Amino acid sequence: MPTASPPHAVLVGGMGWTGAQVVTAARAHGCRLSLIQERAQITEHHRAHTTRVIGVPDLADTGTVIREVKEIHDQDPVDYVFSVTEFGLVPAAATADALGIGTPVPPNVAAMLRSKSRMRELLCGEADFEVASHRCSAYEDVVAAARSVGYPVIVKPDDAWGSLGVRRVDDEAGLRAAFEESDDIGCAVLVEEYLDGPEFSVEVFSHAGRHHVLAVTRKVKLSNFVETGHVVPGASPADAAAIADRVTRFLDVVGLRDGNSHTEVILTASGPRIVESHNRPGGDSIPYLVHLATGINLAELAVAVPLGLMDVPRAVEPATGAAIHFWVGDPGTVTDVPQLSDTAREQCVDVTFTARPGQRIGEVLHSFDRLGYVITRGATGDDAFARAHGIVTSHPFAIAPASFDERESDRLDRVRRYARGG
């Protein structure tokens, strides 16, 4: 009796730890995996453990992704197309739709979640989910929207990421600068009501319309909303239950029935409020923290569950805590990286420096401007974060104060590059 051929999936973008784990999990489960990846992001791990790797100049170019996957599909039929990275989500969904291949969410859901304004439009009139929000293209519209919503307001780009251009504005005097910062990115500007409270993110894996809440993570942020830390578990049992209930009902409303999701929530005095959501696992090593704390591998679920190679694991109380803390610095030139003692290193699961001696650093505008990170474990999430925070604050980067001014044109180029994902 002939044996069935192993399933064949295409991953559109596999960056960082999560992407590498998808590749490893596919191989472990006997799944053939083809990878579409931006050329500069292809690693030896990708080449060694996938069926094929196709390099493209721009992952967000949907037409190119469709052509490449069609060529693969014509030669080696594909069962499933998916992505675990921001700029691959819409191309993956559109490709699957064009070629009649399975995928976790339809193109309209992927596109809606990619656009903050389209998500707000869908939620308009939904009592538990509506947030006052206006999409604006001109400064005069921003002024009118802020007056309508009432100060303080949040001003942010419609489709940027990594906290780029997000600003709280307390009065009209600060409105133009916030508008210009978002407008510089080259997309429409949103003006939204300010939600006051601690922020969390929620990792969910959905299968056939059933939502499995696997982690609630607490965020640590700078005043400009750039994230400098994440804590798992990050909420009390009561708060986690309330947040989980709100998020699973939200996923039903937006039509997300399958695959990973990462939803950001602010716990206000009146309950959890949805900030935004993405049909992918979280970034910033959150899937690694979840794995350390619970043993659940979000990347493995992304490829193995939809192909019938494993079941969704039962959510468990974290056996331990895990946290990440990022280094940031004032503008200047890095002269040396932190010199951690053996004792400090023994407390870390991972230490990574992304800035190097001689590198000029500017104002922290985006997640890309952070200098490195420490990942730690502890008896609880708070214990783990206290350990990471202690290591980062006691071992700073050596930075010579700026003897240069970043030209406005260079700053603008940097902002627009970040908005494109690089």
Side-chain angles (χ1 to χ4, degrees):
M1 181 176 180
T3 57
S5 113
H8 180 201
V10 172
L11 174 63
V12 182
M15 318 303 189
W17 185 88
T18 302
Q21 286 291 305
V22 170
V23 169
T24 299
R27 188 179 181 92
H29 284 279
C31 170
R32 293 178 301 121
L33 186 72
S34 296
L35 173 64
I36 309 292
Q37 184 84 311
E38 289 191 359
R39 295 186 184 112
Q41 301 290 335
I42 296 172
T43 68
E44 287 307 311
H45 179 78
H46 295 147
R47 295 189 188 280
H49 299 292
T50 59
T51 301
R52 60 178 63 78
V53 180
I54 307 295
V56 296
D58 181 5
L59 195 65
D61 183 344
T62 298
T64 296
V65 173
I66 291 175
R67 286 193 298 274
E68 294 291 355
V69 177
K70 183 179 187 304
E71 185 171 334
I72 295 170
H73 188 49
D74 288 344
Q75 301 171 10
D76 186 3
V78 175
D79 300 297
Y80 192 64
V81 179
F82 68 114
S83 180
V84 291
T85 193
E86 185 72 14
F87 292 96
L89 299 172
V90 170
T95 298
D97 184 64
L99 302 179
I101 302 171
T103 196
V105 301
N108 64 311
V109 174
M112 178 270 298
L113 292 175
R114 186 73 181 86
S115 166
K116 299 175 179 66
S117 63
R118 289 178 64 178
M119 186 197 78
R120 292 296 185 212
E121 288 170 8
L122 180 68
L123 298 176
C124 186
E126 296 281 348
D128 287 340
F129 304 107
E130 185 171 14
V131 171
S133 179
H134 299 266
R135 187 176 189 270
C136 307
S137 56
Y139 177 64
E140 293 74 19
D141 299 330
V142 170
V143 173
R147 290 174 179 171
S148 172
V149 171
Y151 291 98
V153 295
I154 291 292
V155 177
K156 62 184 181 182
D158 187 14
D159 63 359
W161 66 294
S163 307
L164 183 63
V166 180
R167 293 291 178 268
R168 169 180 164 157
V169 180
D170 292 321
D171 53 45
E172 203 159 303
L175 203 55
R176 180 170 287 278
F179 164 74
E180 290 176 351
E181 183 164 0
S182 287
D183 189 54
D184 282 345
I185 294 167
C187 61
V189 176
L190 294 188
V191 177
E192 296 191 343
E193 67 175 289
Y194 174 71
L195 304 176
D196 189 23
E199 187 169 356
F200 301 85
S201 63
V202 185
E203 301 303 314
V204 176
F205 192 86
S206 303
H207 186 56
R210 183 179 178 187
H211 307 301
H212 304 263
V213 178
L214 301 176
V216 177
T217 303
R218 187 173 76 252
K219 294 177 180 286
V220 180
K221 303 178 292 184
L222 299 176
S223 60
N224 67 353
F225 302 97
V226 173
E227 293 160 10
T228 57
H230 301 280
V231 186
V232 179
S236 70
D239 287 344
I243 291 168
D245 175 71
R246 186 62 54 95
V247 167
T248 55
R249 290 192 291 119
F250 161 80
L251 295 175
D252 285 336
V253 170
V254 300
L256 194 154
R257 292 177 47 81
D258 291 283
N260 298 87
S261 60
H262 170 78
T263 304
E264 298 173 359
V265 175
I266 291 177
L267 186 58
T268 70
S270 59
R273 307 284 297 278
I274 303 294
V275 177
E276 59 187 59
S277 186
H278 312 266
N279 58 302
R280 57 166 173 79
D284 270 2
S285 296
I286 289 173
Y288 188 26
L289 302 183
V290 174
H291 185 56
L292 290 172
T294 69
I296 294 172
N297 190 326
L298 299 173
E300 180 183 28
L301 303 186
V303 64
V305 171
L307 292 170
L309 303 174
M310 69 176 291
D311 296 326
V312 182
R314 184 176 61 85
V316 296
E317 286 296 319
T320 186
I324 187 170
H325 196 306
F326 292 87
W327 275 282
V328 294
D330 294 327
T333 301
V334 175
T335 59
D336 202 1
V337 300
Q339 303 299 313
L340 272 64
S341 66
D342 290 344
T343 301
R345 284 190 175 274
E346 287 171 1
Q347 298 180 63
C348 304
V349 175
D350 186 19
V351 179
T352 295
F353 304 132
T354 51
R356 297 288 183 264
Q359 180 176 329
R360 287 183 171 185
I361 59 174
E363 177 189 358
V364 179
L365 303 174
H366 186 277
S367 299
F368 282 156
D369 293 321
R370 299 171 305 196
L371 309 180
Y373 60 82
V374 165
I375 293 176
T376 54
R377 299 177 80 169
T380 65
D382 288 339
D383 289 341
F385 186 75
R387 180 171 294 172
H389 178 73
I391 292 169
V392 167
T393 55
S394 62
H395 298 83
F397 273 72
I399 301 171
S403 57
F404 60 91
D405 290 323
E406 186 176 29
R407 293 181 301 177
E408 183 59 28
S409 60
D410 291 341
R411 182 182 183 279
L412 187 56
D413 285 344
R414 181 161 64 105
V415 166
R416 288 178 174 166
R417 186 175 72 251
Y418 290 168
R420 295 191 301 269

